[in-house]
Amino acid sequence: MNTRHRLSQAISLGLVILMLTGCSNLGNANNTQAQPEPDLSELIHAAAEQMIANNPELTRYSPMIAATFVSIDNLTQSSTLGRMSSEIMASALARQGMQVREVKMRDSMFIEESVGELILSRQVQRLSAQHNARSILMGTYAQGQDFVYVSARVVRAGDAMVLGTADFRLPLNNNTRSLLEGQGGW
């Protein structure tokens, strides 16, 4: 009987331990940490790496100038998101070996205060010649319900042939909304 009683206690203790372990796991299921949303800078740097990986010859078309990324719905309108996307992409491409000419230091490119450095197709030849650029970084973005979609491309200055492209989507969170609120104004 003594052995039977000990066996019964051991089984009871084992069941209690199993139940406690199960309960503690259930409690942790609600406390799992959410994965952080991708950062604009991280997404752009990954896109630049992919652009160069897809066309390693892209750096031959240096120096490059960068235009402000614009809204796909209105190519004369940008935002803080468009201006920052262009700046970060130019930096990321420079890290990948692309020579980037800074146009803000020259007086020859008209910079509209509320938009940034916009390059329209009729101006490409003139601006690339003024800045002695062989390529131009251009981009567009579109706001969806849950994401902002960004498309970047490097085009050859002489004939507007697309040399490299990268696309990504950015979660439409409060930070992204704040960057978009700057549409048309600094």
Side-chain angles (χ1 to χ4, degrees), residues 6-26:
R6 285 186 199 164
L7 181 61
S8 175
Q9 283 181 333
I11 291 173
S12 295
L13 180 63
L15 288 173
V16 167
I17 291 172
L18 281 173
M19 287 176 29
L20 289 174
T21 303
C23 289
S24 69
N25 286 340
L26 284 175

Side-chain angles (χ1 to χ4, degrees), residues 103-114:
V103 296
K104 290 181 200 73
M105 295 182 68
R106 294 182 154 199
D107 295 330
S108 59
M109 185 173 193
F110 174 72
I111 299 174
E112 187 176 333
E113 183 177 314
S114 64

Side-chain angles (χ1 to χ4, degrees), residues 10 13 41 43 61 66 76 78 85 88 106 112 120 127 135 140 167 169 176:
L13 180 63
S41 183
L43 289 170
Y61 295 94
T76 63
S78 190
S85 295
I88 296 169
R106 294 182 154 199
E112 187 176 333
L120 302 176
L127 290 171
S135 60
T140 55
D167 304 301
R169 66 182 193 176
T176 308

